[in-house]
């Protein structure tokens, strides 16, 4: 009554017709016997509580929540620092790193430059391996949307060998895209995408700038489907389902290759409403129709199909699980029976309410 119902000692004494000193004595005895235990949570660990909640709710392998700073610029710096630290932990000194695009990805270069200035003696431990872009270059003036340039800068500051993608993010047509895809350089980078150790991507709201020719690619579908956000120019709705394009002209890593990466770190800053939806983002199985087939989460949240909801949808889900199990699917394609059916609904609600006012980085713990 005292600890759980917030009754006063006077209320309890009156209820049991005993004295208040007796109530106090009984409460003290309960603590001595271990019936009641008291734990004090430090204020500085609040972000750790949020991280645990994110991991449990969305099935993430790890999450980093960065407290809001006095202004947006400082908050972004904290987000980038936390994300890059996680990247270094996952790389473990060597490997293949893939870089996406976005405002915060562009600030990673500034962060590394600042670290170099703090360590003039060259004390920073370098990385070994390869770094490559995950998408072509945008026809925009922002450095953050020129992955080749980011790869060049990060290569010089990490020790990773650069490999570039020679082509625009958005081709003039599907035929032009196929021409790029048949070049030797593109084939080389696709091989790298299939053995990524770490992928670093940016979560952004919809709408955002630059627009990425959304009218040409989607028509009015993004507004009709209530798009919540995008990453690597893959747009998804408030429930985390990807929205199909009229024609795919983008030179970028496929969703399947992204799902098979060793680790995916997704980062965003305060004010981004698309985080909750991104945490429940779903990938359509390649053998099924984009609009109707059962879906699965990307590697940063590990691929797994939605719960069957009865009828034909349930039959398709069951068939998909049986096919995956019979094939012995590898990374990023495994079925996880512990998926909670309320994730999509909660993600949509949280996105509509403004998302999570913090930074989110991590991948699913499934592998």
């Amino acid at each position: 009554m005292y600890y759980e119902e917030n009754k006063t000692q006077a209320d309890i004494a009156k209820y049991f017709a005993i004295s208040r000193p007796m109530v106090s004595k009984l409460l003290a005895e309960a603590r001595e016997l271990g019936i009641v235990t008291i734990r004090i949570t430090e204020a500085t660990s609040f972000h750790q509580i949020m991280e645990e909640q994110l991991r449990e709710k969305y099935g993430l392998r790890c999450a980093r929540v960065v407290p809001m700073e006095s202004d947006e610029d400082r908050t972004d710096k904290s987000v980038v620092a936390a994300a890059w630290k996680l990247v270094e932990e996952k790389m473990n000194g060597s490997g293949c790193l893939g870089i996406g695009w976005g405002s915060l990805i562009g600030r990673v270069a500034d962060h590394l430059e600042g670290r170099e200035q703090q360590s003039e003696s060259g004390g920073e431990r370098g990385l070994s391996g390869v770094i490559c872009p995950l998408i072509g270059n945008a026809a925009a003036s922002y450095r953050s949307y020129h992955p080749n340039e980011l790869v060049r800068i990060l290569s010089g500051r990490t020790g990773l060998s650069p490999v570039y993608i020679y082509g625009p993010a958005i081709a003039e047509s599907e035929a032009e895209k196929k021409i790029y895809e048949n070049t030797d350089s593109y084939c080389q980078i696709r091989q790298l995408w299939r053995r990524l150790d770490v992928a670093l991507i940016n979560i952004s709201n919809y709408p955002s700038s630059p627009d990425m020719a959304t009218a040409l690619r989607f028509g009015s579908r993004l507004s009709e489907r209530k798009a919540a956000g995008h990453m690597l120019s893959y747009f998804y709705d408030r429930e985390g389902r990807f929205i199909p394009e009229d024609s795919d002209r983008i030179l970028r890593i496929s969703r399947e290759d992204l799902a098979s990466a060793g680790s995916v770190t997704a980062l965003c800053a305060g004010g981004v409403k698309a985080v909750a939806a991104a945490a429940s983002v779903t990938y359509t199985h390649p053998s099924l129709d984009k609009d109707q087939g059962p879906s699965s989460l990307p590697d940063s949240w590990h691929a797994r199909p939605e719960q069957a909801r009865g009828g034909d949808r349930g039959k398709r889900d069951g068939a998909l699980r049986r096919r995956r199990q019979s094939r012995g699917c590898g990374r990023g394609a495994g079925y996880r029976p512990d998926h909670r059916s309320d994730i999509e609904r909660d993600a949509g609600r949280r996105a509509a309410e403004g998302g999570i006012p913090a930074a989110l980085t991590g991948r699913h713990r499934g592998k």
Side-chain angles (χ1 to χ4, degrees):
M1 294 173 70
Y2 184 76
Y3 289 105
E4 295 184 358
E5 299 178 14
N6 293 317
K7 301 289 186 181
T8 66
Q9 292 188 22
D11 292 336
I12 298 170
K14 183 178 180 179
Y15 182 84
F16 287 108
I18 59 178
S19 66
R20 286 181 60 183
M22 178 58 70
V23 174
S24 179
K25 180 181 178 181
L26 291 173
L27 290 173
E29 186 177 346
R31 291 178 60 182
E32 292 175 1
L33 294 174
I35 297 173
V36 173
T37 59
I38 296 177
R39 184 184 66 180
I40 299 175
T41 301
E42 297 181 10
T44 55
S45 67
F46 176 69
H47 64 284
Q48 296 174 341
I49 296 174
M50 290 189 67
E51 289 171 356
E52 181 61 28
Q53 291 174 343
L54 285 169
R55 287 195 296 268
E56 290 299 319
K57 184 171 185 62
Y58 296 109
L60 302 174
R61 165 167 286 186
C62 110
R64 296 288 185 270
V65 175
V66 177
M68 297 290 286
E69 300 286 352
S70 57
D71 57 63
E72 184 176 339
D73 181 67
R74 291 187 178 185
T75 300
D76 288 352
K77 290 180 179 179
S78 298
V79 171
V80 168
W84 185 254
K85 183 177 180 180
L86 187 60
V87 167
E88 289 182 316
E89 291 174 3
K90 298 299 181 182
M91 289 287 288
N92 195 26
S94 64
C96 182
L97 171 63
I99 296 292
W101 64 10
S103 58
L104 289 179
I105 301 293
R107 301 197 67 161
V108 171
D110 300 329
H111 169 69
L112 293 182
E113 184 178 37
R115 288 204 321 183
E116 286 183 354
Q117 292 174 351
Q118 293 174 8
S119 180
E120 296 179 359
S121 61
E124 292 287 349
R125 186 185 68 174
L127 299 174
S128 63
V130 178
I131 181 172
C132 66
L134 299 177
I135 189 169
N137 295 287
S141 58
Y142 313 118
R143 186 188 70 174
S144 299
Y145 286 87
H146 288 264
N148 275 356
E149 177 65 9
L150 296 177
V151 164
R152 183 189 67 80
I153 296 172
L154 294 180
S155 170
R157 294 171 183 170
T158 61
L160 295 169
S161 300
V163 176
Y164 303 109
I165 180 171
Y166 296 103
I170 305 175
E172 292 293 330
S173 64
E174 291 189 61
E176 183 180 86
K177 178 188 175 183
K178 291 184 182 300
I179 293 175
Y180 284 114
E181 290 178 334
N182 289 328
T183 61
D184 292 339
S185 61
Y186 195 81
C187 291
Q188 178 189 11
I189 205 163
R190 288 186 67 179
Q191 291 299 317
L192 292 176
W193 288 344
R194 290 167 181 167
R195 60 180 183 87
L196 286 175
D197 293 289
V198 179
L200 182 63
I201 62 176
N202 194 112
I203 296 173
S204 302
N205 281 334
Y206 172 78
S208 61
S209 179
D211 178 69
M212 300 304 164
T214 53
L216 178 65
R217 296 164 54 199
F218 296 94
S220 60
R221 191 175 290 115
L222 292 181
S223 59
E224 292 170 355
R225 292 279 296 270
K226 295 181 172 58
H230 60 94
M231 50 190 178
L232 294 175
S233 205
Y234 288 113
F235 289 78
Y236 50 87
D237 61 23
R238 293 178 179 178
E239 294 184 352
R241 294 186 178 86
F242 278 108
I243 301 173
E245 305 176 31
D246 292 332
S247 62
D248 185 5
R249 304 180 182 183
I250 310 295
L251 293 172
R252 62 188 167 188
I253 186 172
S254 69
R255 300 202 302 260
E256 292 74 25
D257 286 342
L258 185 63
S260 67
S263 173
V264 176
T265 296
L267 65 158
C268 69
V272 174
K273 302 177 181 179
V275 184
S280 291
V281 125
T282 56
Y283 275 70
T284 303
H285 193 270
S287 65
L288 299 173
D289 182 83
K290 289 184 178 181
D291 289 320
Q292 299 178 359
S295 304
S296 56
L297 295 177
D299 176 74
S300 45
W301 303 282
H302 194 74
R304 62 187 178 190
E306 297 174 32
Q307 289 283 17
R309 300 180 183 174
D312 294 337
R313 178 74 172 271
K315 293 178 182 178
R316 288 195 297 270
D317 283 353
L320 175 61
R321 290 195 293 273
R322 289 191 293 272
R323 284 200 299 273
R324 285 179 170 172
Q325 291 166 355
S326 65
R327 293 173 184 169
C329 293
R331 299 187 299 181
Y335 171 66
R336 290 190 55 81
D338 63 339
H339 179 52
R340 289 161 291 179
S341 59
D342 66 330
I343 285 181
E344 294 90 352
R345 294 193 300 272
D346 287 347
R349 176 179 59 78
R350 290 171 69 85
E353 292 174 353
I356 303 169
L360 169 68
T361 63
R363 72 175 294 277
H364 192 270
R365 60 172 171 262
K367 187 177 62 176

